[in-house]
Each structure stands twice: as C-alpha cells, then as structure tokens.
Amino acid sequence: MAIPRKRGPGRPRKLPVAQQRELVLAAARRTFAAHGLAGATIEQIARQAGLTRQAVYEQFGDKNALFEQVVAEIEEQAYATLAESGAGDAEADLKSWARKNFATMFAFVADHPDAQPVLKEAERVGMPALTRLRSRLAQVYTAASRRRWAAHGIEPGRADTALVTMYFAMTEALVGLSWGGEAPDRDAIIDLLTEFTIGGVLRLYSAPDVLARVR
C-alpha cells in the first residue's frame, strides 16, 4: 500500500476569492485611514492583506476603485447601525432616546476607528459620503424625534434637520478631541451631550424668534 507523500513547503494554495476580497477591504480601510487616498499604495494594501499586488488589481481594478468600495461599505455600515438606533425603541422618552443615539455613535466610532478618517478623506477628495450619510440619518432621526418633541409641546419643523446635523457635528468633534491627557469617561461625555442638546433645544423655545427664522 502506497503511503501518501506529505505536502512540501511550496507555494500555498490560493485563497477563495471572497476571502481575498475581505482581506483586501480590511487592509485598505486601515491604509486609507492612516495615509489618505494619495498616500496609500496598492503595495501597502497588498502587504497588509498578505496578498500580491496582482490579486488586489484583479479584485478591484485600481486604487481609486478600491477606495470608492471602501467608502461605500463604511457608509452603509454606519447607516445600518445608526439608523437602527435612531428608529428603534419606540417607548423611550426624548432624553433616553437621545442618550441611546449618542452612545451608539460613540460605540460605532470606537468599534470602527478607521471609519471616520476614511469618510473625512472621501469628503476632502470630492466624494460626499459623510454629507450623504448625515442627510440620510437626519431623515430617520427627524421622523423618530418629532413625536418625542411633541410631548414637550415642540414642533421644530425644518429646524429638525439643523438640530440633527448639530448632534452629529458635536459627537464627531468630541470623539476626535485631544484632551491633553486621559479622556473623560465616555458615559460622562454622553451625559453631557444629552443634557446640552435636549436642554438647549428646550431653552431655544423660550426665544421663539430664533427657530422661527429657520422654519
């Protein structure tokens, strides 16, 4: 009976196409986040993915096409996570709902540290993915917030969109803020944002002429 020979140390078997694609996209996210579109190279991405440059080209064509795919995936991933939070938990009151959404934003940034730098780089090079994401989420958050504001006798109207944009901007600014040392506890920041935004809007209605100009 013949004994099968052990496989020698030759060239490893080629990975399945789907697995190669996942490796390239993950490596590309890290590389684009660190170096931007202009600074990143296919060589860097291939090396991080553990593949050849040819494999990357076969999967995505060129660096610009790969960047577009990375940006599209991040946008959809962020939208799915944040929209679910914004639309969910129908029984939550205004403050609880707002706090949950801030917490979800912070958790997304912490869990996906490459997402925000890539989306900002996309904006810089003329791909308005971050602007589009904010606009899409504003629709979800506006629809979910109006009933809750109504419980306080508030009907923001078109100001809803401005308020939601402000929420996102403040969250992004605090996530990327250099604290000159150890950052405060995340829950403390989330509580601060919640109190500032909800309390701030309620106070705005003591000066109705301000919001009337936005409506």
Side-chain angles (χ1 to χ4, degrees):
M1 179 178 177
I3 299 175
R5 289 188 302 171
K6 293 182 178 179
R7 181 177 176 86
R11 188 171 182 172
R13 291 191 179 95
K14 189 174 182 180
L15 293 172
V17 171
Q19 189 175 349
Q20 290 186 51
R21 185 178 180 84
E22 289 178 6
L23 289 170
V24 171
L25 287 170
R29 283 177 70 139
R30 294 191 296 270
T31 305
F32 288 131
H35 303 288
L37 177 58
T41 67
I42 292 295
E43 176 66 35
Q44 291 171 323
I45 294 167
R47 188 164 54 247
Q48 281 215 31
L51 299 169
T52 65
R53 285 183 300 172
Q54 184 61 32
V56 177
Y57 284 122
E58 288 175 357
Q59 290 284 333
F60 295 96
D62 60 26
K63 185 175 71 170
N64 288 335
L66 175 55
F67 183 69
E68 289 177 8
Q69 183 62 43
V70 168
V71 171
E73 289 208 350
I74 291 175
E75 180 184 345
E76 291 309 312
Q77 185 181 44
Y79 178 78
T81 301
L82 301 177
E84 181 180 2
S85 174
D89 202 359
E91 300 304 314
D93 63 21
L94 177 62
K95 186 174 289 188
S96 298
W97 173 82
R99 191 188 191 288
K100 176 187 174 184
N101 291 321
F102 281 129
T104 301
M105 290 183 198
F106 270 82
F108 181 83
V109 171
D111 293 342
H112 307 280
D114 302 324
Q116 190 178 25
V118 170
L119 289 175
K120 286 187 174 181
E121 174 67 1
E123 292 281 323
R124 191 188 69 79
V125 300
M127 296 173 57
L130 187 55
T131 298
R132 185 169 55 242
L133 174 63
R134 288 171 180 156
S135 178
R136 294 169 67 192
L137 288 170
Q139 296 178 40
V140 175
Y141 280 55
T142 296
S145 67
R146 280 182 173 165
R147 175 181 59 81
R148 294 176 170 91
W149 285 118
H152 294 266
I154 294 174
E155 180 58 43
R158 289 192 306 167
D160 268 333
T161 301
L163 294 171
V164 171
T165 301
M166 181 180 68
Y167 299 162
F168 292 144
M170 286 192 298
T171 304
E172 290 165 4
L174 285 172
V175 166
L177 184 65
S178 173
W179 294 93
E182 186 177 354
D185 178 74
R186 186 191 299 178
D187 284 342
I189 298 175
I190 292 168
D191 287 339
L192 175 65
L193 276 170
T194 304
E195 294 297 331
F196 181 79
T197 54
I198 300 303
V201 171
L202 292 174
R203 284 193 297 275
L204 271 175
Y205 278 83
S206 65
D209 59 308
V210 175
L211 284 179
R213 291 161 58 194
V214 181
R215 286 176 172 169

